Amino acid sequence: MNFLIAAFKPPCTISISLSAGRTNKQVPLKKDNGQTVLVPLFESQESIIGEVVVEPLQGKKVEHIGVKVELLGQIELYFDRGNFYDFTSLVRELDVPGELYERKTYPFEFSTVEMPYESYNGVNVRLRYILKVTISRNIVGNIVESQDFVVRNYTPLPTINNSIKMEVGIEDCLHIEFEYNKSKYHLKDVIIGKIYFLVVRIKIKNMELEIRRRESTGTGHNTYVETETLAKFELMDGAPVRGESIPIRLFLSPYELTPTYRNINNKFSVKYYLNLVLVDEEDRRYFKQQEITVYRLLETV
Amino acid sequence: MVLERAEDEEKWLAEGIAAIQQNAFYMHRALDANNLREALKYSALMLSELRTSNLSPHKYYDLYMRAFGELRGLEMFFKDESRHGVSIVDLYELVQHAGNILPRLYLLCTVGSVYIKSKEAPAKDILKDLVEMCRGVQHPIRGLFLRSYLSQVSRDKLPDIGSEYEGDGDTVMDAVEFVLQNFTEMNKLWVRLQHQGPGRIREKREKERSELRDLVGKNLHVLSQIEGVDLEMYKETVLPGVLEQVVNCKDDLAQYYLMECLIQVFPDEYHLQTLEALLGSCSQLQPTVDVKMLLSQLMERLSNYAASSPDVLPEFLQVEAFAKLSSAIWKVVDAHAEMPVVGAISLYVSLLTFTLRVHPDRLDYVDQVLGACVNKLSGKPKLEDRRARKQIVALLSAPIEKYNDVVRALTLPNYPRVMEYLDSSTNKQMAMVIIQSIMKNNTCIKEADKVEVLFELIEGLVKDVDGIAVDELDEEDFNEEQNYVARLIHMPYNDDSEEMLKIMCAVQKHIMGGGPKRLPFTVPPLVFSALRLVRRLQSQDGEVVGEELPATPRKLFRLLSQIIEALSSVPSPELALRLYLQCAEAAGDCDLEPVAYEFFTQAFVLYEEEVADSKAQVTAIHLIIGSLQRMTVFGVENRDTLTHKATGYAAKLLKKPDQCRAVYACSHLFWVDDQKGIKDGERVLLCLKRALRIANAAQQMASVTRGSAGPVTLFVEILNKYLYLFEKGNPQITSSAIQSLVELIQNEMQSDSTTQDPASDTFFASTVRYIQYQKEKGGVMGEKYEPKKV
């Protein structure tokens, strides 16, 4: 970014620094250019405090009609690239119009900011938070500097968390009963379960459990749905016989999951499914998909 | 096609091995660098080679062993936390991230074993988790090998009694449950293997399956090695668990193998205490399972156990081993009606061996077994199957060998009934076994009814059965058999004469039907043993008087004459004649003149009517003379008749030398050298003179027919008779007569026409020397000889 700005040769440099927050955690974030950088991590209701330093280049003066810092929460849909829907927009005026001759520091604070949505970088949609500093000028363009940060929201343990239990089958061919111990899993959770074979008349080669992510964007006719398979986990090798029960134990931690997002600002949803797939010797696939809710567990230390 | 497959298999195996080696190389490099991530990655890749479905069990084993070897290094690495910096608990989770199940589970088992060793979690929880997770592999071969790996790595980490992993809630029970569960699952996989692939290669499958059986059986071995499995636990947990699986798997190959394993790996003592359960499940096995082999093995083991120490015998009684085994066997035999007879019988043999070892005193048990055998055989034709016959012989020999006493076997009512089902040659074989046993042990059979039973048993030897002609048999064998029978006839003995007589009658009854070939063997021993009885009676004569007594010599002689008469039908006149003479002598000793006379009469009749061969006649006449000479019982009249007859026969012999010899032998009939013996010197001289005449005639005949006279042997022989009777004091034999005879001989010898014969010359010379000697010796004899000049 600095490099880009340098191209325009702005008369000053702007740097945004955030004061040490509650956690002062940094997490990696993938930028548009493919690079990964470490950015600060926040959660909803946190105060974002910091300072903006404006330093004119040697011997130059900067005339402006005001300096402000904005906190923006944006959703960007890729089919509508370039259009940002701001669901959150907060502004702090830092300076009245005037001239800058030397380095100046502006402290700012957004206290207890409501940031209901988590940062998300999907296939067709991106949700991001930025702090944007603007030095407004009259004739020439504004000088703008922005800083990404990431928001993650934690959820306590759900009070109700039923298991998923289901009997499915193809008549006289295959009949199974499966059970996942929960319907809501946190990101580091482990799926425990069992598959009971009630009728097996086909020659099964193997059985897998897939974790699938379904991202839907837009509404109505403009809905785009993208499904990714994040995990393929072999549960069984070979053909079981009637009465056999096969254990499931799938650790979620190795996979890059996000919490389930339902209808974020009417723009998009991200849902997770467990897909149980049985493959027979002719490579026919029999499957049953079940939605699970993924959440970010509030880690109580 | 098959060949192609085999070639392909080789190729696949080679590829698999190469891939394993390559990945193992990278894995080891990662291990050397203490790089956990890489190590896990390459070990998983290496283990992925085991996912192949292309190899036969044999080849798969090869592949497995290679991977197995490499995993040892990985395990060492896992053990050392300082090398990878991850706690064992985390490691246990980490390996489960692998996407493919087979490598995942191999790694899990490997880490699991380290986890148990670390003691950071209870061994039972880890074991339970491992054995459960392995359910994910349902492919028979891959599953079997995976579980075999689990069994291998966990073997030394079971919470057995005295093991370091015991305690803190980890009990031996957990170890047992773990092994049992692994066993059950492995067996299921193994059984399922037969349903793999198309039906036409079923045979091949079965072969492959039996190659894998030891993987399953190993679990039973592990179970038996667990120290903490005591009788109680075996009874309550181990055995029911194993049996349940064995019965439920409904597969004959598995059932047979596992039962066999079970019987072999656990101690006999346990089997004994759990007989009921063990036998109960035997009857629930598939009909194609060779239950009889299993039962035989079991009984053999138990028999050996019983034989190992007398201390264990009470245990057998306590659990009523016999009752349980026998009822199990009845059931098996009933349930498998189509089972070949040989199978059933071999079962009975095992049971009998068992009984004899464990309950040597329970004859009723032995009889029960034989009875069951009779039931099985009844309603069937005689056994054709050679193996079945062999088994029956074994069955019948067992009690005899055990007791070394046929009498015991004779008391078993079912024993003869089993014999009835034998074909004649087997029957004979068995009969020989019985007789040999009697001979070997010198068994004395004392009761007539037992003798009766005995002879019924050996009927095959005593009589013709089944219409098999005697001449079809091998003569040597036949003779040997009959010799044995003959020896057997001497064996029964009882001090009580009455019983002894009954025995005789019983024997007689049986042997009389023996036919012309057997009687010559069997009659003489019977006759002689009867005569032995006669002599015994005679020696007791003082006490035993009176006709009303059942056993008297008179009765015996009546019996004897019947017996010998049977020989005439054979016909075997020479033998009969000898026997008559024997009897006559015995009768004479008993002072039974009429009886003795009768016997002689019989002998003479035989001589006249049956003995035609001249050589036989010579022998017979000498026998007659000898016997008659010894007889003292006859009155003058009877004696005259008999001697007259005998001399008559002697003079009518065909050949002159025979005639001569018989006649001079007759001289003894008139000079019996004892106190009250007859001494008729004149008739003696008459005989000798006649003998001389015949000798002369013989000499002349010889010179006429052959141009030279025969040797002087006959003369010398007559001279010897002269000398004998001279010495015995026969007044009619004078020294002058001897003198002239000597001269006659000398003349003859010098004559040219006489054939020189060194033997007769020597004979004569010795005779002359004897005369000389007697003279020189002096005394009474010397004086008698004095006048003789030689």
Side-chain angles (χ1 to χ4, degrees):
Chain A
M1 193 72 85
N2 290 332
F3 164 76
L4 273 172
I5 293 165
F8 288 96
K9 291 203 168 86
C12 62
T13 58
I14 304 170
S15 64
I16 306 164
S17 67
L18 292 165
S19 61
R22 186 174 58 92
T23 52
N24 196 25
K25 252 187 161 177
Q26 297 220 305
V27 290
L29 180 74
K30 210 173 191 181
K31 304 282 282 186
D32 289 339
N33 58 10
Q35 281 178 327
T36 305
V37 292
L38 285 175
V39 296
L41 174 69
F42 291 95
E43 60 182 292
S44 191
Q45 306 291 338
E46 224 175 327
S47 296
I48 297 168
I49 305 163
E51 48 186 35
V52 175
V53 178
V54 181
E55 195 174 2
L57 292 176
Q58 199 72 39
K60 290 210 172 174
K61 78 169 187 200
V62 180
E63 240 178 282
H64 65 90
I65 55 167
V67 179
K68 63 178 179 183
V69 59
E70 290 167 290
L71 188 157
L72 299 174
Q74 300 177 320
I75 294 171
E76 183 185 9
L77 296 168
Y78 294 163
F79 64 82
D80 192 14
R81 204 171 263 277
N83 269 332
F84 300 101
Y85 299 88
D86 294 350
F87 57 89
T88 293
S89 177
L90 298 169
V91 186
R92 293 286 179 273
E93 295 292 345
L94 296 177
D95 208 351
V96 292
E99 289 178 348
L100 286 169
Y101 298 99
E102 57 191 356
R103 176 190 160 102
K104 192 164 182 190
T105 305
Y106 305 98
F108 67 90
E109 178 179 348
F110 299 95
S111 49
T112 53
V113 189
E114 192 72 36
M115 294 178 285
Y117 310 128
E118 289 199 345
S119 305
Y120 173 69
N121 211 340
V123 183
N124 287 327
V125 63
R126 183 165 65 167
L127 190 153
R128 66 170 189 163
Y129 289 92
I130 50 172
L131 284 167
K132 187 164 149 194
V133 176
T134 311
I135 301 175
S136 313
R137 294 193 290 182
N138 255 338
I139 304 131
V140 286
N142 295 341
I143 304 169
V144 178
E145 175 65 65
S146 65
Q147 161 78 50
D148 284 76
F149 68 95
V150 168
V151 171
R152 286 180 183 172
N153 287 324
Y154 300 92
T155 321
L157 271 176
T159 43
I160 299 169
N161 198 350
N162 294 324
S163 64
I164 300 174
K165 207 169 178 179
M166 188 167 259
E167 213 182 298
V168 290
I170 309 163
E171 202 168 338
D172 291 334
C173 186
L174 180 69
H175 213 90
I176 61 170
E177 192 182 295
F178 61 83
E179 182 179 349
Y180 308 127
N181 60 336
K182 298 174 191 171
S183 49
K184 296 167 186 166
Y185 293 94
H186 64 79
L187 296 171
K188 308 280 183 222
D189 217 342
V190 46
I191 300 172
I192 307 282
K194 249 184 183 355
I195 297 126
Y196 303 93
F197 285 83
L198 302 170
V199 177
V200 191
R201 297 245 166 80
I202 51 173
K203 288 188 172 170
I204 295 172
K205 198 164 71 177
N206 69 349
M207 177 168 69
E208 297 169 340
L209 190 61
E210 293 177 343
I211 302 175
R212 311 185 90 194
R213 172 157 62 197
R214 194 158 167 272
E215 178 190 287
S216 58
T217 45
T219 46
H221 291 296
N222 283 331
T223 308
Y224 293 82
V225 177
E226 196 70 46
T227 307
E228 287 171 274
T229 302
L230 302 177
K232 268 182 187 248
F233 189 75
E234 194 182 17
L235 290 177
M236 184 184 72
D237 170 24
V241 292
R242 196 164 60 92
E244 206 65 66
S245 83
I246 306 298
I248 304 171
R249 183 187 295 156
L250 173 57
F251 291 92
L252 297 179
S253 55
Y255 307 106
E256 289 183 7
L257 306 183
T258 67
T260 298
Y261 303 132
R262 283 183 214 284
N263 201 16
I264 299 300
N265 208 33
N266 272 331
K267 289 282 182 285
F268 74 99
S269 293
V270 176
K271 291 178 178 178
Y272 288 91
Y273 296 87
L274 288 180
N275 192 28
L276 185 68
V277 185
L278 289 110
V279 184
D280 74 6
E281 286 189 339
E282 271 108 50
D283 283 328
R284 279 188 293 252
R285 294 162 73 83
Y286 308 81
F287 57 87
K288 179 70 191 172
Q289 195 158 290
Q290 283 297 114
E291 191 188 346
I292 53 167
T293 304
V294 182
Y295 64 98
R296 197 182 296 280
L297 179 65
L298 180 65
E299 282 166 54
T300 46
V301 185
Chain B
M1 166 86 187
V2 176
L3 195 73
E4 220 169 87
R5 195 183 145 72
E7 275 174 9
D8 283 350
E9 250 194 271
E10 287 293 342
K11 205 181 76 202
W12 286 320
L13 176 62
E15 282 171 5
I17 291 173
I20 283 185
Q21 283 170 339
Q22 194 193 354
N23 287 310
F25 170 76
Y26 288 121
M27 181 185 87
H28 283 293
R29 209 162 65 171
L31 294 182
D32 292 341
N34 291 339
N35 185 338
L36 179 64
R37 265 180 68 92
E38 291 280 291
L40 288 179
K41 179 180 151 194
Y42 285 110
S43 56
L45 279 173
M46 173 184 83
L47 290 165
S48 289
E49 290 304 316
L50 293 177
R51 297 173 71 207
T52 177
S53 297
N54 292 331
L55 299 178
S56 67
H58 195 72
K59 298 266 189 320
Y60 191 84
Y61 176 74
D62 204 345
L63 205 60
Y64 163 82
M65 283 314 287
R66 305 220 175 216
F68 181 79
E70 305 295 351
L71 284 173
R72 297 274 66 75
L74 190 64
E75 192 186 333
M76 297 301 293
F77 175 70
F78 285 159
K79 244 178 233 172
D80 190 353
E81 198 186 317
S82 69
R83 284 173 68 185
H84 50 74
V86 177
S87 75
I88 187 69
V89 186
D90 292 342
L91 203 53
Y92 194 71
E93 184 194 316
L94 200 55
V95 293
Q96 294 187 59
H97 294 171
N100 280 320
I101 186 157
L102 198 69
R104 177 165 79 232
L105 291 178
Y106 271 103
L107 289 174
L108 189 66
C109 290
T110 313
V111 177
S113 90
V114 178
Y115 198 3
I116 297 173
K117 230 175 154 60
S118 75
K119 297 187 192 140
E120 284 182 32
K124 70 168 175 189
D125 293 348
I126 301 166
L127 289 173
K128 204 170 167 52
D129 190 49
L130 291 175
V131 81
E132 268 298 312
M133 292 312 284
C134 283
R135 280 179 189 276
V137 180
Q138 292 288 325
H139 184 275
I141 295 180
R142 294 196 284 271
L144 271 174
F145 278 95
L146 172 68
R147 285 183 178 275
S148 162
Y149 179 71
L150 172 61
S151 164
Q152 190 83 19
V153 294
S154 63
R155 238 185 122 165
D156 53 349
K157 300 175 185 75
L158 299 175
D160 191 4
I161 280 182
S163 131
E164 53 176 312
Y165 305 103
E166 197 207 359
D168 285 345
D170 284 345
T171 63
V172 64
M173 198 63 177
D174 300 310
V176 168
E177 273 172 8
F178 165 75
V179 181
L180 264 181
Q181 196 183 342
N182 203 32
F183 160 74
T184 306
E185 293 301 324
M186 280 177 91
N187 190 46
K188 283 190 200 163
L189 292 171
W190 185 46
V191 169
R192 209 183 296 162
L193 187 57
Q194 68 185 307
H195 304 304
Q196 300 278 310
R200 70 197 146 85
I201 56 166
R202 189 179 157 79
E203 205 170 297
K204 188 165 156 268
R205 280 279 161 204
E206 291 295 284
K207 192 174 146 277
E208 290 178 353
R209 276 190 68 203
S210 43
E211 285 172 5
L212 289 174
R213 62 183 198 172
D214 288 346
L215 295 182
V216 184
K218 194 92 177 254
N219 286 298
L220 294 180
H221 191 244
V222 172
L223 273 176
S224 74
Q225 301 280 301
I226 297 179
E227 290 283 329
V229 175
D230 54 8
L231 179 58
E232 197 55 31
M233 184 172 289
Y234 177 76
K235 209 171 179 173
E236 299 298 327
T237 310
V238 176
L239 184 69
V242 173
L243 287 181
E244 190 195 348
Q245 175 56 25
V246 169
V247 170
N248 288 345
C249 77
K250 294 197 172 16
D251 172 66
D252 49 357
L253 186 72
Q255 287 183 335
Y256 181 76
Y257 170 71
L258 293 176
M259 287 302 277
E260 199 181 19
C261 258
L262 190 70
I263 292 171
Q264 298 301 332
V265 297
F266 287 102
D268 302 322
E269 186 198 340
Y270 289 8
H271 295 320
L272 191 58
Q273 296 297 334
T274 54
L275 260 187
E276 209 156 344
L278 198 57
L279 295 172
S281 56
C282 273
S283 59
Q284 295 172 48
L285 301 180
Q286 296 300 98
T288 42
V289 175
D290 192 355
V291 179
K292 64 178 170 34
M293 271 307 285
L294 293 175
L295 286 174
S296 298
Q297 283 176 9
L298 177 62
M299 285 186 283
E300 197 184 321
R301 283 204 53 147
L302 289 180
S303 308
N304 290 338
Y305 177 55
S308 67
S309 149
D311 301 340
V312 302
L313 287 181
E315 282 178 42
F316 281 85
L317 297 177
Q318 193 203 329
V319 302
E320 294 173 322
F322 176 80
K324 283 175 187 164
L325 281 171
S326 58
S327 77
I329 289 171
W330 310 158
K331 268 191 212 147
V332 167
V333 173
D334 282 348
H336 299 78
E338 76 295 344
M339 189 202 295
V341 178
V342 58
I345 295 173
S346 60
L347 261 183
Y348 293 134
V349 173
S350 306
L351 180 60
L352 192 68
T353 319
F354 171 80
T355 310
L356 292 172
R357 288 245 179 101
V358 181
H359 305 290
D361 49 338
R362 295 298 297 264
L363 276 175
D364 54 332
Y365 285 173
V366 176
D367 197 51
Q368 271 182 41
V369 179
L370 294 174
C373 190
V374 170
N375 280 341
K376 176 73 190 170
L377 293 172
S378 62
K380 293 213 168 76
K382 295 215 171 179
L383 291 172
E384 292 298 329
D385 183 5
R386 209 167 50 81
R387 287 178 307 148
R389 292 199 298 237
K390 216 169 160 184
Q391 287 295 333
I392 287 223
V393 171
L395 181 77
L396 292 172
S397 307
I400 296 180
E401 275 161 22
K402 171 69 186 177
Y403 295 122
N404 278 332
D405 179 2
V406 173
V407 178
R408 284 209 179 209
L410 297 183
T411 56
L412 302 170
N414 280 314
Y415 199 94
R417 291 177 60 200
V418 177
M419 296 264 306
E420 278 170 30
Y421 290 98
L422 299 176
D423 67 324
S424 64
S425 76
T426 319
N427 195 313
K428 274 187 198 162
Q429 193 186 343
M430 203 48 236
M432 288 294 276
V433 170
I434 295 174
I435 297 175
Q436 278 162 352
S437 157
I438 294 178
M439 297 298 160
K440 200 176 92 203
N441 301 299
N442 230 340
T443 314
C444 181
I445 301 154
K446 288 189 172 161
E447 288 85 20
D449 47 352
K450 285 194 183 149
V451 173
E452 185 85 23
V453 179
L454 173 64
F455 274 87
E456 266 163 29
L457 287 185
I458 60 162
E459 208 173 18
L461 294 180
V462 176
K463 278 187 193 146
D464 287 338
V465 262
D466 288 350
I468 293 177
V470 181
D471 21 291
E472 279 174 26
L473 301 167
D474 181 64
E475 195 176 349
E476 226 169 85
D477 288 350
F478 178 80
N479 287 352
E480 197 195 329
E481 283 164 17
Q482 293 308 314
N483 279 331
Y484 268 105
V485 176
R487 288 172 67 185
L488 177 69
I489 292 172
H490 286 294
M491 296 308 289
Y493 179 80
N494 196 317
D495 280 331
D496 178 28
S497 323
E498 197 180 323
E499 191 64 31
M500 194 63 199
L501 179 65
K502 280 192 194 155
I503 293 176
M504 299 271 104
C505 292
V507 175
Q508 183 219 6
K509 197 178 86 194
H510 282 281
I511 65 166
M512 279 306 137
K517 280 221 156 180
R518 288 193 184 82
L519 283 176
F521 286 95
T522 51
V523 166
L526 180 59
V527 167
F528 281 101
S529 74
L531 288 175
R532 188 167 59 170
L533 177 60
V534 168
R535 291 192 206 284
R536 205 166 77 215
L537 285 170
Q538 188 197 343
S539 66
Q540 303 167 344
D541 221 12
E543 307 132 55
V544 187
V545 207
E547 263 307 282
E548 71 275 12
L549 276 171
T552 60
R554 210 178 275 279
K555 274 201 167 166
L556 273 169
F557 284 121
R558 216 170 296 148
L559 177 69
L560 280 167
S561 77
Q562 278 170 25
I563 298 169
I564 303 172
E565 212 177 321
L567 270 183
S568 60
S569 66
V570 172
S572 179
E574 291 93 343
L575 183 62
L577 186 128
R578 283 163 194 256
L579 294 174
Y580 276 134
L581 292 175
Q582 282 291 340
C583 291
E585 278 194 60
D589 291 344
C590 296
D591 275 333
L592 294 170
E593 186 183 347
V595 179
Y597 188 81
E598 176 60 24
F599 280 121
F600 262 104
T601 318
Q602 294 290 349
F604 284 5
V605 169
L606 272 181
Y607 180 83
E608 285 174 10
E609 291 175 1
E610 309 279 352
V611 184
D613 178 60
S614 62
K615 263 193 194 144
Q617 279 181 345
V618 174
T619 318
I621 198 72
H622 280 284
L623 284 169
I624 290 173
I625 294 167
S627 301
L628 194 54
Q629 194 259 349
R630 284 192 292 274
M631 297 299 290
T632 53
V633 71
F634 292 124
V636 181
E637 205 170 307
N638 281 342
R639 190 179 171 84
D640 268 355
T641 321
L642 294 175
T643 45
H644 183 75
K645 214 51 180 172
T647 12
Y649 296 149
K652 278 182 202 135
L653 286 173
L654 183 63
K655 290 187 194 155
K656 288 288 174 193
D658 291 341
Q659 242 180 43
C660 171
R661 289 191 175 105
V663 168
Y664 70 63
C666 282
S667 65
H668 288 290
L669 290 177
F670 307 105
W671 195 271
V672 178
D673 186 32
D674 65 32
Q675 300 214 312
K676 51 183 183 156
I678 182 171
K679 292 198 168 58
D680 187 344
E682 251 176 76
R683 291 182 72 172
V684 168
L685 192 63
L686 227 60
C687 283
L688 292 177
K689 281 192 170 153
R690 193 160 177 192
L692 271 175
R693 268 206 307 282
I694 299 168
N696 246 328
Q699 200 76 339
Q700 276 162 19
M701 245 162 86
S703 51
V704 170
T705 50
R706 274 176 283 168
S708 70
V712 293
T713 324
L714 281 175
F715 293 107
V716 184
E717 282 168 14
I718 296 168
L719 172 63
N720 275 284
K721 289 285 162 207
Y722 267 94
L723 287 174
Y724 170 78
L725 290 160
F726 174 72
E727 279 180 18
K728 294 294 171 198
N730 189 335
Q732 310 294 326
I733 312 290
T734 56
S735 44
S736 62
I738 293 172
Q739 186 68 44
S740 58
L741 185 53
V742 171
E743 279 160 18
L744 171 75
I745 294 169
Q746 281 166 340
N747 284 341
E748 281 290 329
M749 281 169 75
Q750 279 146 20
S751 111
D752 301 333
S753 61
T754 309
T755 320
Q756 294 299 320
D757 174 24
S760 56
D761 290 354
T762 324
F763 189 18
F764 179 63
S766 317
T767 312
V768 171
R769 212 163 40 244
Y770 174 76
I771 297 169
Q772 210 78 35
Y773 168 72
Q774 289 294 357
K775 261 197 226 172
E776 283 163 19
K777 206 170 72 175
V780 188
M781 273 303 157
E783 273 166 39
K784 271 186 110 173
Y785 276 100
E786 197 50 49
K788 290 195 191 81
K789 280 184 266 163
V790 183

